[in-house]
Amino acid sequence: DSRPRKGQDVTIRLKAMLEDGSVVEENPALTFTLGDCDVLQALDLCVQLLEMGETALIVSDAKYCYGAQGRSPDIPPNASLTLEVELLAAQDAPDLELLSGKEKIELANRKRERGNFFYQQADYVLAINSYDIALKIIGSSSKVDFSPEEEAELLDVKVKCLNNLAASQLKLDHYEAALKSCNLVLQHQPGNIKALFRPYLAFQVLAQQGEYRDAIPILKAALKLEPSNK
């Protein structure tokens, strides 16, 4: 009970170093939601083991940090990191029902951007996890009234998350799930070219099951929107 729990917002002091001792990151007060993969996996896994005020030295393989790609220009590919971490605070995450429109948009966008990071790292499982969290935030009920502009912006973030979710699902050969994600986009934006094209990518694989017929109207709709798109 004296340690932070998954789902809580924690604040840590962080100092990250390469094996030669050079410092690549320092943050006196980094705040993130524990267990949401908002930060390096090494931090997400280890901070939940700390006592309040405890300082730990974490030596991590690249797999749990920046992986095979590294982080240009200061962290080379496949670099192990030593992380000096002090747990400063832990508190329950804010109630989603009480967030203002601006706060909900900002929170959902942070999760979406984290998903984009994992997608670029080719870690599609964690990318899907982040997009799912963002969509859960957007779809949560609210006791606060949003302006029409905020509602439109939330819808825009939702569509981006669903499109990115479909792209990640395709990378993992989850074709039926990708089709469902694209169809959700098309319910909101019937002319979304990405959502029209990605089902075709899935149908290329599903064609062996005789689903050519289903691909034709989708491609016709996409062609009508972008006649010069090869």
Side-chain angles (χ1 to χ4, degrees), residues 46-82:
C46 293
V47 168
Q48 59 187 296
L49 304 176
L50 297 182
E51 300 288 344
M52 193 60 59
E54 182 180 359
T55 299
L57 206 59
I58 303 163
V59 181
S60 174
D61 288 345
K63 175 182 178 182
Y64 300 100
C65 295
Y66 289 95
Q69 296 190 18
R71 186 186 72 184
S72 180
D74 53 349
I75 300 177
N78 298 308
S80 298
L81 288 181
T82 298

PDB file of all heavy atoms in Angstrom, residues 46-82:
ATOM      1  N   CYS A  46       9.467  -0.217 -13.314  1.00  0.00           N
ATOM      2  CA  CYS A  46      10.236  -0.114 -12.067  1.00  0.00           C
ATOM      3  C   CYS A  46       9.674   0.885 -11.062  1.00  0.00           C
ATOM      4  O   CYS A  46       9.811   0.680  -9.844  1.00  0.00           O
ATOM      5  CB  CYS A  46      11.686   0.238 -12.378  1.00  0.00           C
ATOM      6  SG  CYS A  46      12.567  -1.089 -13.243  1.00  0.00           S
ATOM      7  N   VAL A  47       9.059   1.968 -11.542  1.00  0.00           N
ATOM      8  CA  VAL A  47       8.574   2.994 -10.614  1.00  0.00           C
ATOM      9  C   VAL A  47       7.508   2.419  -9.684  1.00  0.00           C
ATOM     10  O   VAL A  47       7.416   2.811  -8.515  1.00  0.00           O
ATOM     11  CB  VAL A  47       8.048   4.221 -11.384  1.00  0.00           C
ATOM     12  CG1 VAL A  47       7.272   5.168 -10.470  1.00  0.00           C
ATOM     13  CG2 VAL A  47       9.217   4.975 -12.020  1.00  0.00           C
ATOM     14  N   GLN A  48       6.739   1.450 -10.181  1.00  0.00           N
ATOM     15  CA  GLN A  48       5.685   0.876  -9.330  1.00  0.00           C
ATOM     16  C   GLN A  48       6.268   0.038  -8.185  1.00  0.00           C
ATOM     17  O   GLN A  48       5.545  -0.385  -7.289  1.00  0.00           O
ATOM     18  CB  GLN A  48       4.728   0.032 -10.170  1.00  0.00           C
ATOM     19  CG  GLN A  48       5.352  -1.113 -10.914  1.00  0.00           C
ATOM     20  CD  GLN A  48       4.365  -1.784 -11.857  1.00  0.00           C
ATOM     21  OE1 GLN A  48       3.378  -2.346 -11.418  1.00  0.00           O
ATOM     22  NE2 GLN A  48       4.640  -1.715 -13.152  1.00  0.00           N
ATOM     23  N   LEU A  49       7.595  -0.185  -8.199  1.00  0.00           N
ATOM     24  CA  LEU A  49       8.253  -0.936  -7.127  1.00  0.00           C
ATOM     25  C   LEU A  49       8.884  -0.021  -6.078  1.00  0.00           C
ATOM     26  O   LEU A  49       9.438  -0.503  -5.095  1.00  0.00           O
ATOM     27  CB  LEU A  49       9.335  -1.851  -7.712  1.00  0.00           C
ATOM     28  CG  LEU A  49       8.880  -2.835  -8.794  1.00  0.00           C
ATOM     29  CD1 LEU A  49      10.067  -3.595  -9.354  1.00  0.00           C
ATOM     30  CD2 LEU A  49       7.832  -3.782  -8.253  1.00  0.00           C
ATOM     31  N   LEU A  50       8.824   1.297  -6.317  1.00  0.00           N
ATOM     32  CA  LEU A  50       9.497   2.238  -5.421  1.00  0.00           C
ATOM     33  C   LEU A  50       8.610   2.655  -4.254  1.00  0.00           C
ATOM     34  O   LEU A  50       7.390   2.758  -4.379  1.00  0.00           O
ATOM     35  CB  LEU A  50       9.918   3.492  -6.191  1.00  0.00           C
ATOM     36  CG  LEU A  50      10.943   3.323  -7.315  1.00  0.00           C
ATOM     37  CD1 LEU A  50      11.281   4.671  -7.926  1.00  0.00           C
ATOM     38  CD2 LEU A  50      12.189   2.633  -6.818  1.00  0.00           C
ATOM     39  N   GLU A  51       9.266   2.950  -3.127  1.00  0.00           N
ATOM     40  CA  GLU A  51       8.599   3.583  -2.002  1.00  0.00           C
ATOM     41  C   GLU A  51       8.667   5.101  -2.201  1.00  0.00           C
ATOM     42  O   GLU A  51       9.551   5.604  -2.896  1.00  0.00           O
ATOM     43  CB  GLU A  51       9.291   3.211  -0.680  1.00  0.00           C
ATOM     44  CG  GLU A  51       9.302   1.723  -0.373  1.00  0.00           C
ATOM     45  CD  GLU A  51       7.942   1.181   0.018  1.00  0.00           C
ATOM     46  OE1 GLU A  51       7.056   1.998   0.341  1.00  0.00           O
ATOM     47  OE2 GLU A  51       7.747  -0.047  -0.011  1.00  0.00           O
ATOM     48  N   MET A  52       7.749   5.834  -1.594  1.00  0.00           N
ATOM     49  CA  MET A  52       7.754   7.289  -1.720  1.00  0.00           C
ATOM     50  C   MET A  52       9.066   7.856  -1.176  1.00  0.00           C
ATOM     51  O   MET A  52       9.521   7.486  -0.095  1.00  0.00           O
ATOM     52  CB  MET A  52       6.572   7.885  -0.938  1.00  0.00           C
ATOM     53  CG  MET A  52       6.325   9.347  -1.259  1.00  0.00           C
ATOM     54  SD  MET A  52       5.947   9.587  -3.009  1.00  0.00           S
ATOM     55  CE  MET A  52       4.486   8.558  -3.163  1.00  0.00           C
ATOM     56  N   GLY A  53       9.719   8.702  -1.965  1.00  0.00           N
ATOM     57  CA  GLY A  53      10.975   9.316  -1.576  1.00  0.00           C
ATOM     58  C   GLY A  53      12.199   8.455  -1.857  1.00  0.00           C
ATOM     59  O   GLY A  53      13.327   8.924  -1.703  1.00  0.00           O
ATOM     60  N   GLU A  54      11.973   7.211  -2.277  1.00  0.00           N
ATOM     61  CA  GLU A  54      13.102   6.318  -2.567  1.00  0.00           C
ATOM     62  C   GLU A  54      13.785   6.717  -3.877  1.00  0.00           C
ATOM     63  O   GLU A  54      13.136   7.166  -4.822  1.00  0.00           O
ATOM     64  CB  GLU A  54      12.608   4.874  -2.671  1.00  0.00           C
ATOM     65  CG  GLU A  54      13.715   3.856  -2.920  1.00  0.00           C
ATOM     66  CD  GLU A  54      13.195   2.429  -3.015  1.00  0.00           C
ATOM     67  OE1 GLU A  54      11.979   2.219  -2.876  1.00  0.00           O
ATOM     68  OE2 GLU A  54      14.016   1.525  -3.229  1.00  0.00           O
ATOM     69  N   THR A  55      15.102   6.559  -3.904  1.00  0.00           N
ATOM     70  CA  THR A  55      15.870   6.771  -5.126  1.00  0.00           C
ATOM     71  C   THR A  55      16.423   5.427  -5.578  1.00  0.00           C
ATOM     72  O   THR A  55      16.961   4.661  -4.777  1.00  0.00           O
ATOM     73  CB  THR A  55      17.027   7.756  -4.900  1.00  0.00           C
ATOM     74  OG1 THR A  55      16.483   9.018  -4.495  1.00  0.00           O
ATOM     75  CG2 THR A  55      17.831   7.953  -6.180  1.00  0.00           C
ATOM     76  N   ALA A  56      16.281   5.141  -6.874  1.00  0.00           N
ATOM     77  CA  ALA A  56      16.754   3.868  -7.422  1.00  0.00           C
ATOM     78  C   ALA A  56      17.640   4.124  -8.628  1.00  0.00           C
ATOM     79  O   ALA A  56      17.492   5.129  -9.335  1.00  0.00           O
ATOM     80  CB  ALA A  56      15.577   2.995  -7.827  1.00  0.00           C
ATOM     81  N   LEU A  57      18.552   3.205  -8.841  1.00  0.00           N
ATOM     82  CA  LEU A  57      19.400   3.224 -10.030  1.00  0.00           C
ATOM     83  C   LEU A  57      18.997   2.028 -10.882  1.00  0.00           C
ATOM     84  O   LEU A  57      19.151   0.875 -10.458  1.00  0.00           O
ATOM     85  CB  LEU A  57      20.871   3.132  -9.629  1.00  0.00           C
ATOM     86  CG  LEU A  57      21.898   3.722 -10.604  1.00  0.00           C
ATOM     87  CD1 LEU A  57      21.635   5.197 -10.831  1.00  0.00           C
ATOM     88  CD2 LEU A  57      23.304   3.501 -10.079  1.00  0.00           C
ATOM     89  N   ILE A  58      18.463   2.302 -12.052  1.00  0.00           N
ATOM     90  CA  ILE A  58      17.932   1.258 -12.926  1.00  0.00           C
ATOM     91  C   ILE A  58      18.851   1.110 -14.134  1.00  0.00           C
ATOM     92  O   ILE A  58      19.094   2.084 -14.855  1.00  0.00           O
ATOM     93  CB  ILE A  58      16.513   1.611 -13.405  1.00  0.00           C
ATOM     94  CG1 ILE A  58      15.591   1.845 -12.208  1.00  0.00           C
ATOM     95  CG2 ILE A  58      15.961   0.544 -14.337  1.00  0.00           C
ATOM     96  CD1 ILE A  58      14.317   2.591 -12.555  1.00  0.00           C
ATOM     97  N   VAL A  59      19.376  -0.081 -14.357  1.00  0.00           N
ATOM     98  CA  VAL A  59      20.188  -0.356 -15.546  1.00  0.00           C
ATOM     99  C   VAL A  59      19.326  -1.164 -16.497  1.00  0.00           C
ATOM    100  O   VAL A  59      18.882  -2.268 -16.157  1.00  0.00           O
ATOM    101  CB  VAL A  59      21.475  -1.122 -15.188  1.00  0.00           C
ATOM    102  CG1 VAL A  59      22.300  -1.368 -16.444  1.00  0.00           C
ATOM    103  CG2 VAL A  59      22.293  -0.336 -14.166  1.00  0.00           C
ATOM    104  N   SER A  60      19.071  -0.624 -17.683  1.00  0.00           N
ATOM    105  CA  SER A  60      18.103  -1.243 -18.584  1.00  0.00           C
ATOM    106  C   SER A  60      18.683  -1.512 -19.966  1.00  0.00           C
ATOM    107  O   SER A  60      19.404  -0.690 -20.539  1.00  0.00           O
ATOM    108  CB  SER A  60      16.875  -0.337 -18.730  1.00  0.00           C
ATOM    109  OG  SER A  60      15.995  -0.866 -19.705  1.00  0.00           O
ATOM    110  N   ASP A  61      18.319  -2.665 -20.519  1.00  0.00           N
ATOM    111  CA  ASP A  61      18.629  -2.959 -21.914  1.00  0.00           C
ATOM    112  C   ASP A  61      17.873  -1.997 -22.821  1.00  0.00           C
ATOM    113  O   ASP A  61      16.852  -1.418 -22.434  1.00  0.00           O
ATOM    114  CB  ASP A  61      18.206  -4.392 -22.268  1.00  0.00           C
ATOM    115  CG  ASP A  61      19.105  -5.435 -21.630  1.00  0.00           C
ATOM    116  OD1 ASP A  61      20.197  -5.059 -21.167  1.00  0.00           O
ATOM    117  OD2 ASP A  61      18.709  -6.612 -21.595  1.00  0.00           O
ATOM    118  N   ALA A  62      18.362  -1.883 -24.052  1.00  0.00           N
ATOM    119  CA  ALA A  62      17.723  -1.010 -25.035  1.00  0.00           C
ATOM    120  C   ALA A  62      16.269  -1.400 -25.277  1.00  0.00           C
ATOM    121  O   ALA A  62      15.423  -0.549 -25.563  1.00  0.00           O
ATOM    122  CB  ALA A  62      18.497  -1.057 -26.348  1.00  0.00           C
ATOM    123  N   LYS A  63      15.966  -2.691 -25.157  1.00  0.00           N
ATOM    124  CA  LYS A  63      14.614  -3.194 -25.408  1.00  0.00           C
ATOM    125  C   LYS A  63      13.572  -2.436 -24.610  1.00  0.00           C
ATOM    126  O   LYS A  63      12.448  -2.230 -25.076  1.00  0.00           O
ATOM    127  CB  LYS A  63      14.558  -4.679 -25.066  1.00  0.00           C
ATOM    128  CG  LYS A  63      13.182  -5.314 -25.163  1.00  0.00           C
ATOM    129  CD  LYS A  63      13.224  -6.775 -24.754  1.00  0.00           C
ATOM    130  CE  LYS A  63      11.834  -7.403 -24.797  1.00  0.00           C
ATOM    131  NZ  LYS A  63      11.848  -8.814 -24.368  1.00  0.00           N
ATOM    132  N   TYR A  64      13.922  -2.013 -23.393  1.00  0.00           N
ATOM    133  CA  TYR A  64      12.968  -1.330 -22.522  1.00  0.00           C
ATOM    134  C   TYR A  64      13.163   0.179 -22.521  1.00  0.00           C
ATOM    135  O   TYR A  64      12.576   0.880 -21.697  1.00  0.00           O
ATOM    136  CB  TYR A  64      13.093  -1.881 -21.103  1.00  0.00           C
ATOM    137  CG  TYR A  64      12.823  -3.359 -21.030  1.00  0.00           C
ATOM    138  CD1 TYR A  64      13.869  -4.274 -20.967  1.00  0.00           C
ATOM    139  CD2 TYR A  64      11.521  -3.848 -21.073  1.00  0.00           C
ATOM    140  CE1 TYR A  64      13.621  -5.641 -20.926  1.00  0.00           C
ATOM    141  CE2 TYR A  64      11.257  -5.203 -21.023  1.00  0.00           C
ATOM    142  CZ  TYR A  64      12.308  -6.103 -20.958  1.00  0.00           C
ATOM    143  OH  TYR A  64      12.068  -7.450 -20.916  1.00  0.00           O
ATOM    144  N   CYS A  65      14.019   0.661 -23.461  1.00  0.00           N
ATOM    145  CA  CYS A  65      14.258   2.111 -23.574  1.00  0.00           C
ATOM    146  C   CYS A  65      13.934   2.576 -24.993  1.00  0.00           C
ATOM    147  O   CYS A  65      12.773   2.633 -25.361  1.00  0.00           O
ATOM    148  CB  CYS A  65      15.696   2.435 -23.177  1.00  0.00           C
ATOM    149  SG  CYS A  65      16.037   2.096 -21.430  1.00  0.00           S
ATOM    150  N   TYR A  66      14.959   2.826 -25.797  1.00  0.00           N
ATOM    151  CA  TYR A  66      14.716   3.364 -27.143  1.00  0.00           C
ATOM    152  C   TYR A  66      14.972   2.353 -28.245  1.00  0.00           C
ATOM    153  O   TYR A  66      14.942   2.696 -29.425  1.00  0.00           O
ATOM    154  CB  TYR A  66      15.545   4.634 -27.356  1.00  0.00           C
ATOM    155  CG  TYR A  66      15.035   5.800 -26.543  1.00  0.00           C
ATOM    156  CD1 TYR A  66      15.585   6.096 -25.303  1.00  0.00           C
ATOM    157  CD2 TYR A  66      13.979   6.578 -26.999  1.00  0.00           C
ATOM    158  CE1 TYR A  66      15.095   7.155 -24.535  1.00  0.00           C
ATOM    159  CE2 TYR A  66      13.493   7.638 -26.248  1.00  0.00           C
ATOM    160  CZ  TYR A  66      14.052   7.925 -25.021  1.00  0.00           C
ATOM    161  OH  TYR A  66      13.562   8.966 -24.270  1.00  0.00           O
ATOM    162  N   GLY A  67      15.244   1.104 -27.870  1.00  0.00           N
ATOM    163  CA  GLY A  67      15.264   0.014 -28.827  1.00  0.00           C
ATOM    164  C   GLY A  67      16.326   0.114 -29.903  1.00  0.00           C
ATOM    165  O   GLY A  67      17.351   0.784 -29.757  1.00  0.00           O
ATOM    166  N   ALA A  68      16.034  -0.580 -31.008  1.00  0.00           N
ATOM    167  CA  ALA A  68      16.997  -0.686 -32.113  1.00  0.00           C
ATOM    168  C   ALA A  68      17.165   0.639 -32.856  1.00  0.00           C
ATOM    169  O   ALA A  68      18.169   0.846 -33.537  1.00  0.00           O
ATOM    170  CB  ALA A  68      16.556  -1.776 -33.086  1.00  0.00           C
ATOM    171  N   GLN A  69      16.199   1.536 -32.717  1.00  0.00           N
ATOM    172  CA  GLN A  69      16.267   2.808 -33.446  1.00  0.00           C
ATOM    173  C   GLN A  69      17.011   3.891 -32.673  1.00  0.00           C
ATOM    174  O   GLN A  69      17.530   4.836 -33.266  1.00  0.00           O
ATOM    175  CB  GLN A  69      14.865   3.284 -33.797  1.00  0.00           C
ATOM    176  CG  GLN A  69      14.137   2.352 -34.762  1.00  0.00           C
ATOM    177  CD  GLN A  69      12.851   2.956 -35.275  1.00  0.00           C
ATOM    178  OE1 GLN A  69      12.644   4.164 -35.188  1.00  0.00           O
ATOM    179  NE2 GLN A  69      11.973   2.125 -35.810  1.00  0.00           N
ATOM    180  N   GLY A  70      17.048   3.782 -31.351  1.00  0.00           N
ATOM    181  CA  GLY A  70      17.676   4.836 -30.563  1.00  0.00           C
ATOM    182  C   GLY A  70      16.861   6.113 -30.618  1.00  0.00           C
ATOM    183  O   GLY A  70      15.686   6.108 -30.974  1.00  0.00           O
ATOM    184  N   ARG A  71      17.494   7.207 -30.252  1.00  0.00           N
ATOM    185  CA  ARG A  71      16.848   8.520 -30.318  1.00  0.00           C
ATOM    186  C   ARG A  71      17.862   9.517 -30.842  1.00  0.00           C
ATOM    187  O   ARG A  71      18.817   9.889 -30.157  1.00  0.00           O
ATOM    188  CB  ARG A  71      16.351   8.958 -28.933  1.00  0.00           C
ATOM    189  CG  ARG A  71      15.544  10.268 -28.963  1.00  0.00           C
ATOM    190  CD  ARG A  71      15.183  10.741 -27.555  1.00  0.00           C
ATOM    191  NE  ARG A  71      16.355  11.254 -26.829  1.00  0.00           N
ATOM    192  CZ  ARG A  71      16.325  11.661 -25.564  1.00  0.00           C
ATOM    193  NH1 ARG A  71      15.200  11.598 -24.876  1.00  0.00           N
ATOM    194  NH2 ARG A  71      17.424  12.121 -24.979  1.00  0.00           N
ATOM    195  N   SER A  72      17.641   9.959 -32.048  1.00  0.00           N
ATOM    196  CA  SER A  72      18.577  10.907 -32.666  1.00  0.00           C
ATOM    197  C   SER A  72      18.448  12.274 -31.984  1.00  0.00           C
ATOM    198  O   SER A  72      17.333  12.711 -31.668  1.00  0.00           O
ATOM    199  CB  SER A  72      18.249  11.025 -34.157  1.00  0.00           C
ATOM    200  OG  SER A  72      19.118  11.914 -34.797  1.00  0.00           O
ATOM    201  N   PRO A  73      19.556  12.954 -31.737  1.00  0.00           N
ATOM    202  CA  PRO A  73      20.929  12.581 -32.102  1.00  0.00           C
ATOM    203  C   PRO A  73      21.759  12.026 -30.942  1.00  0.00           C
ATOM    204  O   PRO A  73      22.916  11.714 -31.122  1.00  0.00           O
ATOM    205  CB  PRO A  73      21.507  13.936 -32.537  1.00  0.00           C
ATOM    206  CG  PRO A  73      20.858  14.911 -31.579  1.00  0.00           C
ATOM    207  CD  PRO A  73      19.469  14.372 -31.297  1.00  0.00           C
ATOM    208  N   ASP A  74      21.149  11.890 -29.753  1.00  0.00           N
ATOM    209  CA  ASP A  74      21.991  11.656 -28.570  1.00  0.00           C
ATOM    210  C   ASP A  74      22.009  10.211 -28.061  1.00  0.00           C
ATOM    211  O   ASP A  74      22.919   9.835 -27.315  1.00  0.00           O
ATOM    212  CB  ASP A  74      21.562  12.585 -27.420  1.00  0.00           C
ATOM    213  CG  ASP A  74      20.072  12.481 -27.112  1.00  0.00           C
ATOM    214  OD1 ASP A  74      19.343  11.855 -27.905  1.00  0.00           O
ATOM    215  OD2 ASP A  74      19.635  13.021 -26.089  1.00  0.00           O
ATOM    216  N   ILE A  75      21.033   9.383 -28.461  1.00  0.00           N
ATOM    217  CA  ILE A  75      21.002   8.000 -27.986  1.00  0.00           C
ATOM    218  C   ILE A  75      21.156   7.063 -29.181  1.00  0.00           C
ATOM    219  O   ILE A  75      20.262   6.992 -30.039  1.00  0.00           O
ATOM    220  CB  ILE A  75      19.692   7.701 -27.232  1.00  0.00           C
ATOM    221  CG1 ILE A  75      19.559   8.625 -26.014  1.00  0.00           C
ATOM    222  CG2 ILE A  75      19.660   6.232 -26.783  1.00  0.00           C
ATOM    223  CD1 ILE A  75      18.269   8.453 -25.244  1.00  0.00           C
ATOM    224  N   PRO A  76      22.288   6.359 -29.281  1.00  0.00           N
ATOM    225  CA  PRO A  76      22.523   5.482 -30.438  1.00  0.00           C
ATOM    226  C   PRO A  76      21.614   4.263 -30.420  1.00  0.00           C
ATOM    227  O   PRO A  76      21.007   3.934 -29.390  1.00  0.00           O
ATOM    228  CB  PRO A  76      23.989   5.079 -30.271  1.00  0.00           C
ATOM    229  CG  PRO A  76      24.291   5.256 -28.833  1.00  0.00           C
ATOM    230  CD  PRO A  76      23.421   6.369 -28.344  1.00  0.00           C
ATOM    231  N   PRO A  77      21.483   3.575 -31.552  1.00  0.00           N
ATOM    232  CA  PRO A  77      20.682   2.352 -31.605  1.00  0.00           C
ATOM    233  C   PRO A  77      21.195   1.307 -30.613  1.00  0.00           C
ATOM    234  O   PRO A  77      22.387   1.221 -30.337  1.00  0.00           O
ATOM    235  CB  PRO A  77      20.872   1.867 -33.052  1.00  0.00           C
ATOM    236  CG  PRO A  77      21.250   3.092 -33.823  1.00  0.00           C
ATOM    237  CD  PRO A  77      22.047   3.933 -32.874  1.00  0.00           C
ATOM    238  N   ASN A  78      20.263   0.547 -30.058  1.00  0.00           N
ATOM    239  CA  ASN A  78      20.565  -0.569 -29.148  1.00  0.00           C
ATOM    240  C   ASN A  78      21.386  -0.137 -27.928  1.00  0.00           C
ATOM    241  O   ASN A  78      22.241  -0.890 -27.449  1.00  0.00           O
ATOM    242  CB  ASN A  78      21.300  -1.686 -29.907  1.00  0.00           C
ATOM    243  CG  ASN A  78      20.444  -2.262 -31.022  1.00  0.00           C
ATOM    244  OD1 ASN A  78      19.300  -2.653 -30.813  1.00  0.00           O
ATOM    245  ND2 ASN A  78      20.997  -2.298 -32.227  1.00  0.00           N
ATOM    246  N   ALA A  79      21.122   1.060 -27.442  1.00  0.00           N
ATOM    247  CA  ALA A  79      21.879   1.586 -26.308  1.00  0.00           C
ATOM    248  C   ALA A  79      21.210   1.234 -24.987  1.00  0.00           C
ATOM    249  O   ALA A  79      20.017   1.473 -24.795  1.00  0.00           O
ATOM    250  CB  ALA A  79      22.017   3.101 -26.420  1.00  0.00           C
ATOM    251  N   SER A  80      21.993   0.652 -24.064  1.00  0.00           N
ATOM    252  CA  SER A  80      21.518   0.468 -22.695  1.00  0.00           C
ATOM    253  C   SER A  80      21.556   1.814 -21.986  1.00  0.00           C
ATOM    254  O   SER A  80      22.380   2.672 -22.306  1.00  0.00           O
ATOM    255  CB  SER A  80      22.395  -0.540 -21.960  1.00  0.00           C
ATOM    256  OG  SER A  80      22.340  -1.806 -22.575  1.00  0.00           O
ATOM    257  N   LEU A  81      20.663   1.990 -21.019  1.00  0.00           N
ATOM    258  CA  LEU A  81      20.630   3.239 -20.267  1.00  0.00           C
ATOM    259  C   LEU A  81      20.670   2.954 -18.770  1.00  0.00           C
ATOM    260  O   LEU A  81      20.158   1.927 -18.309  1.00  0.00           O
ATOM    261  CB  LEU A  81      19.349   4.026 -20.575  1.00  0.00           C
ATOM    262  CG  LEU A  81      19.213   4.690 -21.945  1.00  0.00           C
ATOM    263  CD1 LEU A  81      17.880   5.443 -22.022  1.00  0.00           C
ATOM    264  CD2 LEU A  81      20.370   5.624 -22.239  1.00  0.00           C
ATOM    265  N   THR A  82      21.292   3.864 -18.041  1.00  0.00           N
ATOM    266  CA  THR A  82      21.220   3.858 -16.588  1.00  0.00           C
ATOM    267  C   THR A  82      20.328   5.018 -16.176  1.00  0.00           C
ATOM    268  O   THR A  82      20.573   6.160 -16.552  1.00  0.00           O
ATOM    269  CB  THR A  82      22.615   4.011 -15.958  1.00  0.00           C
ATOM    270  OG1 THR A  82      23.424   2.896 -16.345  1.00  0.00           O
ATOM    271  CG2 THR A  82      22.514   4.049 -14.439  1.00  0.00           C
TER     272      THR A  82
END
